[in-house]
């Protein structure tokens, strides 16, 4: 009988896990520099949490099931909704705002696996709950760009929009909520031909040619802050979207204070979900082709959807797997150092017990150490140490032990030095 991993999942071996842990550690450091604290939510939640957020149609994309008490549950497809649920359960009445939290964990979606898209995947993201905007939005975008830069991804393109501009136009032309949702889904897909067909085909989604022409011009505006004049000109006859444009201008000014310089204004960035209320942004790495989007974020009022009090939240989620693809694509492959600080090699069987004692001393002093457990000959131990690229070997010999010493060999230089056993920890730590 042959057992294989489930479709759309992966096994990660030693070197790949070390690369992933290195990236994870880098991200944690950046997020915590900004004052964010880590939280964890369950791998599975009530199904209604996600159908309330995204509609019943999302069920087709979920790993949902009934437990033994006939409760409808699902493996989480993302972590934003669980964070909102956690806030309602644990923080709404007690925590001082703004609340800064971050998360890292696996998510699950039942969809066709392809390059850069798996059924089990990882997200690294954050939520800023209850902060005044656009100051909060500027800080979140700064955090996101700093995190990506710290990973060595230098070609990332931050695309920013304010959904209040389009929603203001919808309000002016009295477009129904259902129609708004339909057209926002089309815009969100980023398919220009489909959008043109939806707005100017034989059966346009919106039965208003004036608005349709404005929308087609608006979503085509992509560039630096100089395009704000074009936006202002387009919406000049309508009062409802002007406040959002002013907020976008204020955000752009604040980004300069937060030292964010590389960004693109893209009026075509959208969200198909109603609770997104303000700034939205996406980050692309062109070298990844069709799977170029590595991040999506923005401001939203999701807690209210779940029955809580109105509170503004701004956040984003990084696709951790695509980040790893981008790192591989854009950075020089580096030889990983050994997973050990030192390897303990007993010369003969009569010193093995002492070798185990010394190894335990090292480990309990926060030194990554390993020792032969299979009784291999000394020559094979040296070959193994060379193979794993360890920098130092502790050679345990009977004559040295009689003097209370062991030999430390530097594998890079070939130099050897006799060290008192009592001083081995200080020697290896360089103290």
């Amino acid at each position: 009988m042959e057992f294989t991993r489930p479709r759309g999942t992966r096994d990660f071996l030693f070197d790949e896990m070390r690369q992933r842990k290195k990236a994870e550690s880098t991200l944690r450091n950046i997020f915590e520099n900004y004052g964010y604290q880590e939280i964890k939510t369950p791998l599975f939640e009530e199904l209604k949490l996600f159908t309330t957020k995204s509609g019943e149609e999302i069920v087709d994309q979920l790993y949902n099931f009934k437990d033994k008490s006939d409760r409808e549950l699902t493996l989480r497809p993302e972590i934003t909704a669980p964070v909102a649920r956690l806030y309602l359960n644990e923080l709404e009445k007690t925590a001082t705002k703004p609340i800064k939290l971050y998360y890292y964990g696996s998510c699950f979606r039942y969809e066709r696996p392809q390059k850069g898209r798996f059924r089990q995947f990882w997200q690294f993201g954050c939520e800023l709950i209850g902060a005044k905007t656009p100051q909060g939005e500027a800080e979140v975008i700064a955090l996101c760009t700093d995190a990506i830069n710290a990973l060595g991804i230098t070609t990332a393109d931050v695309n920013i929009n304010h959904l209040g501009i389009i929603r203001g136009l919808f309000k002016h032309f009295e477009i129904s909520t259902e129609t708004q949702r339909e057209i926002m889904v089309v815009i969100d897909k980023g398919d220009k031909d489909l959008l043109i067909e939806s707005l100017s085909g034989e059966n346009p989604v919106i039965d208003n040619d004036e608005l349709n022409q404005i929308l087609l011009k608006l979503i085509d505006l992509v560039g630096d802050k100089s395009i704000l004049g074009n936006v202002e000109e387009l919406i000049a006859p309508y009062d409802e979207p002007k406040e959002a444009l002013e907020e976008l201008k204020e955000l752009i000014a604040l980004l300069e204070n937060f030292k964010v310089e590389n960004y693109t204004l893209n009026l075509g960035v959208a969200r198909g979900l109603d609770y997104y209320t303000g700034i939205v942004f996406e980050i692309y790495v062109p070298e990844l082709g069709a799977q170029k989007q590595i991040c999506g974020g923005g401001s939203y009022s999701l807690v209210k959807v779940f029955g809580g009090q109105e509170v503004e939240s701004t956040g984003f989620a990084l696709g951790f797997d695509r980040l790893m693809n981008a790192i591989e694509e854009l950075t020089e492959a580096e030889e990983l150092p050994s997973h050990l600080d030192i390897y303990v090699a007993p010369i003969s069987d009569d010193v093995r017990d002492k070798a185990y004692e010394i190894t335990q001393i090292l480990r309990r002093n926060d030194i990554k150490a390993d020792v032969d457990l299979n009784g291999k000959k000394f020559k094979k131990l040296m070959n193994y140490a060379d193979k794993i690229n360890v920098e130092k070997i502790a050679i345990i010999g009977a004559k040295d032990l009689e003097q209370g010493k062991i030999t430390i060999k530097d594998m890079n230089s070939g130099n050897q030095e006799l060290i008192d056993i009592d001083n081995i920890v200080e020697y290896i730590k360089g103290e």
Side-chain angles (χ1 to χ4, degrees):
M1 182 182 293
E2 182 181 359
F3 295 97
T4 60
R5 64 177 182 265
R7 188 165 184 251
T9 64
R10 290 156 293 165
D11 296 316
F12 300 109
L13 291 179
F14 309 122
D15 285 352
E16 191 168 5
M17 275 307 303
R18 290 169 66 200
Q19 295 284 15
R20 291 173 73 91
K21 286 180 70 175
K22 179 181 177 183
E24 178 188 339
S25 177
T26 298
L27 292 175
R28 288 183 190 280
N29 184 58
I30 297 295
F31 278 59
E32 291 172 11
N33 284 349
Y34 275 74
Y36 284 73
Q37 300 182 81
E38 186 176 14
I39 55 96
K40 287 283 186 188
T41 65
L43 281 175
F44 59 91
E45 299 269 2
E46 292 186 352
L47 176 62
K48 65 182 180 182
L49 181 71
F50 299 102
T51 55
T52 299
K53 173 180 179 281
S54 303
E56 293 292 335
E57 59 271 17
I58 196 176
V59 173
D60 290 339
Q61 302 173 36
L62 302 181
Y63 279 94
N64 59 299
F65 56 94
K66 287 186 178 182
D67 69 6
K68 293 180 180 180
S69 296
D70 216 31
R71 287 176 287 244
E72 286 274 12
L73 303 173
T74 184
L75 298 180
R76 64 189 184 194
E78 42 90 1
I79 307 181
T80 304
V83 167
R85 192 266 311 146
L86 175 147
Y87 168 78
L88 281 169
N89 292 166
E90 312 289 348
L91 299 172
E92 183 178 36
K93 296 179 180 178
T94 58
T96 302
K97 296 181 182 65
I99 302 166
K100 292 183 170 184
L101 57 88
Y102 77 90
Y103 54 82
Y104 172 64
S106 56
C107 303
F108 306 84
R109 282 185 183 262
Y110 189 83
E111 56 186 357
R112 185 172 65 86
Q114 53 186 289
K115 184 178 180 181
R117 190 186 294 272
F118 301 93
R119 288 178 172 176
Q120 182 184 13
F121 55 95
W122 278 259
Q123 285 188 346
F124 205 120
C126 72
E127 302 287 339
L128 175 60
I129 302 173
K132 188 176 180 181
T133 55
Q135 293 93 320
E137 293 165 335
E139 186 184 87
V140 166
I141 293 172
L143 164 60
C144 191
T145 56
D146 280 358
I148 292 170
N149 288 336
L151 295 173
I153 302 172
T154 57
T155 62
D157 183 17
V158 185
N159 285 246
I160 304 171
N161 188 20
H162 195 308
L163 291 185
I165 296 171
I166 290 179
R167 295 202 186 281
L169 290 169
F170 287 153
K171 183 177 180 180
H172 177 85
F173 287 95
E174 299 180 344
I175 304 302
S176 70
T177 301
E178 184 178 341
T179 301
Q180 288 186 40
R181 188 176 297 125
E182 186 176 352
I183 201 65
M184 290 298 277
V185 167
V186 175
I187 296 173
D188 188 22
K189 288 180 178 178
D191 188 330
K192 185 68 179 297
D193 292 334
L194 177 61
L195 181 63
I196 292 172
E197 177 64 26
S198 300
L199 292 177
S200 58
E202 290 185 9
N203 298 297
V205 174
I206 298 175
D207 188 20
N208 187 303
D209 189 59
E210 181 182 352
L211 175 57
N212 289 342
Q213 293 307 311
I214 295 169
L215 290 177
L216 286 172
K217 291 177 182 176
L218 193 66
I219 64 151
D220 241 4
L221 292 175
V222 180
D224 59 23
K225 61 184 179 181
S226 65
I227 70 167
L228 291 172
N230 302 98
V231 179
E232 196 161 17
E233 185 178 339
L234 266 178
I235 67 171
Y238 320 106
D239 291 334
E240 291 85 350
K242 290 179 179 177
E243 182 179 351
L245 177 58
E246 292 307 309
E247 289 177 359
L248 180 58
K249 288 179 179 179
E250 188 175 353
L251 171 71
I252 298 308
L254 283 166
L255 287 178
E256 186 174 338
N257 300 128
F258 279 93
K259 305 299 182 184
V260 178
E261 299 173 351
N262 297 320
Y263 62 86
T264 300
L265 295 182
N266 184 344
L267 278 292
V269 174
R271 294 285 184 274
L273 299 165
D274 297 341
Y275 54 80
Y276 277 92
T277 56
I279 294 295
V280 289
F281 63 95
E282 295 177 351
I283 300 183
Y284 311 126
V285 176
E287 289 83 357
L288 297 183
Q291 305 298 331
K292 67 179 181 178
Q293 185 177 335
I294 62 170
C295 176
S299 293
Y300 36 81
S301 296
L302 184 56
V303 169
K304 188 177 180 182
V305 174
F306 295 140
Q309 296 295 314
E310 178 91 38
V311 62
E312 188 76 8
S313 299
T314 303
F316 62 84
L318 292 160
F320 189 78
D321 303 281
R322 292 189 187 177
L323 282 179
M324 297 309 300
N325 290 343
I327 291 170
E328 183 179 357
E329 188 75 29
L330 296 171
T331 62
E332 289 287 332
E334 57 180 351
E335 184 177 357
L336 291 170
S338 175
H339 63 290
L340 298 176
D341 296 319
I342 191 167
Y343 186 70
V344 180
I347 288 179
S348 54
D349 289 340
D350 58 330
V351 298
R352 289 189 184 280
D353 289 346
K354 192 62 179 180
Y356 301 148
E357 289 180 23
I358 292 169
T359 303
Q360 289 305 98
I361 291 171
L362 296 172
R363 289 167 172 169
R364 290 173 180 175
N365 281 276
D366 201 29
I367 294 170
K368 297 172 186 174
D370 206 357
V371 63
D372 171 53
L373 301 174
N374 288 343
K376 292 179 181 176
K377 298 296 184 182
F378 182 69
K379 184 177 180 180
K380 287 190 175 181
L381 298 186
M382 295 296 287
N383 289 339
Y384 174 73
D386 188 56
K387 183 177 179 181
I388 63 173
N389 200 31
V390 68
E391 288 190 1
K392 289 183 173 63
I393 297 181
I395 300 172
I396 314 299
K399 290 185 178 179
D400 290 345
L401 288 178
E402 289 175 2
Q403 304 174 52
K405 297 177 183 293
I406 61 173
T407 297
I408 303 294
K409 180 175 182 177
D410 186 309
M411 293 294 284
N412 293 324
S413 66
N415 295 334
Q416 296 187 173
E417 193 170 349
L418 271 176
I419 303 296
D420 288 336
I421 292 175
D422 292 342
N423 295 332
I424 186 173
V425 170
E426 291 77 7
Y427 177 82
I428 294 170
K429 288 188 173 183
E431 296 175 355

